[in-house]
Amino acid sequence: MAKMASGGIGTIPVLPDTRLTPDGLKNFLEIVRHECAAKRRDPLLDLTSTDPGLLQSALIDCLALGRHDPRYLTMVRRCLPFIEDQRCFHMAISLLAHATPHPNILWHSGNYIPEPVADEIRKSFRWAPNDIAMLLSRLCLPEARMWSYGSIGHTLYMLLREDKSLRWSIDQLLTEAFREQDLTWLSCWVKGPPFGPEWVRTDRETVILPSLTLALELASDSKERLDELTERLPSIRKLEWFTEISECVSEGWFEIF
C-alpha cells in the first residue's frame, strides 16, 4: 500500500501490475505528455480562433491528440469551412490526410494513426457538392498540375476518395456550377468574398476544371463519361483546357496521376 504523507488520512491501493518500473517508464511518460497536452488548453476551442498562430498550434495539438481520440480530427474536418487563414487551411487538409494511407507522408511513430482510430475519423469524410466547391476554390489548384502526384491536390484527393458518394457529388457539382446565379455561387458554394476570405478564388473554372478531370478519373469509361457530360452541359466545351483534356481522353491515356 502507498501511505499518504504525515497529516493525511487513508491509503491509496497500488496493484502490482500498475507499479512504475523502468520498463514501463517510456509508456508512462507518453501518457503523461498526452494528458498534459489535452489539459494545457482546449485545441477544439482554438480551432475557432482568428489568430493564425493559435489556430496552427490548435491544429498540431489536434493531430497529436487525434491519434488516440478521433473526435479531435473529426472536429478539424467539421471546421474546414470556417478556417479563414490560407496557410492554416492548407495545414488542416494535410493533417486530415494522416487518417488516410497517403503515400507521400513520411510515416513515423509520432504521426501514425492506428487503423481503428483512423477509420472513425474517415467516417466524417463525406463531401456534399458545395463542400467540394469550397475545397477546390480555397486550394486554387494550378491547372497544369492540379491533381499531380505529391501536390496539395493529391492530398485533397486522398480525403475525397474516402466518400463512396463522390461520383454523385462531383456530377451534381458540375451540373449546379453552370446553373447557379453568381450571388448563390459565391455565398453557398465557394464561400468567397464578400462572404468569405479575400484569398478565395471565385471564378467557376477554378472549381469546374478539377471537378471535370476528377469525374473522368472516377469513370469506368472516361470517353463515354466525357461524351455524356458535354451533351448534357455543352458549356464545358468553352473551358480553356477542354481541347487538351478531350484529346487525352480520345487517345485513351487520360489519368490524373
Side-chain angles (χ1 to χ4, degrees):
M1 304 289 284
K3 296 183 179 180
M4 297 185 65
S6 177
I9 57 175
T11 57
I12 302 175
V14 178
L15 299 177
D17 59 351
T18 59
R19 290 176 179 171
L20 185 61
T21 63
D23 292 338
L25 181 60
K26 182 179 179 181
N27 184 53
F28 170 76
L29 291 176
E30 182 179 351
I31 294 173
V32 169
R33 292 190 189 99
H34 173 74
E35 291 299 318
C36 289
K39 294 178 180 179
R40 184 175 65 247
R41 37 183 322 129
D42 192 339
L44 297 182
L45 291 179
D46 283 343
L47 287 178
T48 63
S49 176
T50 57
D51 182 335
L54 284 178
L55 182 50
Q56 288 178 34
S57 178
L59 289 170
I60 293 173
D61 285 344
C62 282
L63 175 60
L65 298 169
R67 295 179 56 240
H68 307 280
D69 187 338
R71 294 176 297 177
Y72 286 92
L73 286 176
T74 297
M75 283 303 298
V76 172
R77 182 268 174 269
R78 300 299 182 198
C79 288
L80 282 178
F82 309 105
I83 297 178
E84 298 201 348
D85 178 74
Q86 188 173 19
R87 182 177 179 183
C88 290
F89 188 84
H90 281 240
M91 183 178 180
I93 296 295
S94 297
L95 292 183
L96 289 173
H98 285 74
T100 73
H102 198 313
N104 283 112
I105 292 178
L106 181 61
W107 297 104
H108 54 78
S109 60
N111 66 6
Y112 173 76
I113 300 178
E115 189 58 27
V117 178
D119 187 57
E120 285 299 313
I121 297 168
R122 290 194 296 265
K123 289 179 181 179
S124 68
F125 294 176
R126 301 296 178 263
W127 312 101
N130 57 318
D131 289 328
I132 300 172
M134 180 271 297
L135 291 168
L136 294 174
S137 63
R138 294 194 174 197
L139 291 180
C140 306
L141 303 182
E143 289 81 356
R145 53 189 296 273
M146 61 183 76
W147 296 113
S148 58
Y149 193 85
S151 67
I152 188 64
H154 187 192
T155 300
L156 175 60
Y157 174 78
M158 297 301 297
L159 303 183
L160 295 177
R161 69 195 290 268
E162 296 296 333
D163 188 350
K164 293 180 173 58
S165 300
L166 181 59
R167 294 188 184 188
W168 177 89
S169 294
I170 291 292
D171 185 76
Q172 191 69 19
L173 171 55
L174 286 169
T175 301
E176 296 298 327
F178 288 102
R179 186 170 64 186
E180 291 289 346
Q181 297 296 321
D182 284 344
L183 190 62
T184 305
W185 175 255
L186 294 176
S187 60
C188 297
W189 287 81
V190 301
K191 295 181 174 63
F195 307 99
E198 292 295 326
W199 49 268
V200 175
R201 283 182 58 180
T202 59
D203 55 296
R204 297 182 188 230
E205 192 163 325
T206 301
V207 171
I208 292 173
L209 186 55
S211 297
L212 171 61
T213 54
L214 185 55
L216 297 177
E217 170 72 15
L218 297 172
S220 56
D221 187 324
S222 57
K223 186 177 187 306
E224 183 179 313
R225 180 70 167 130
L226 184 60
D227 290 342
E228 183 272 325
L229 286 170
T230 51
E231 181 179 353
R232 181 162 54 88
L233 304 169
S235 297
I236 284 181
R237 296 180 180 275
K238 299 178 182 179
L239 292 175
E240 181 181 353
W241 286 73
F242 178 81
T243 300
E244 182 176 341
I245 292 172
S246 181
E247 289 176 354
C248 292
V249 170
S250 298
E251 293 173 7
W253 55 273
F254 177 86
E255 58 183 17
I256 62 176
F257 296 114

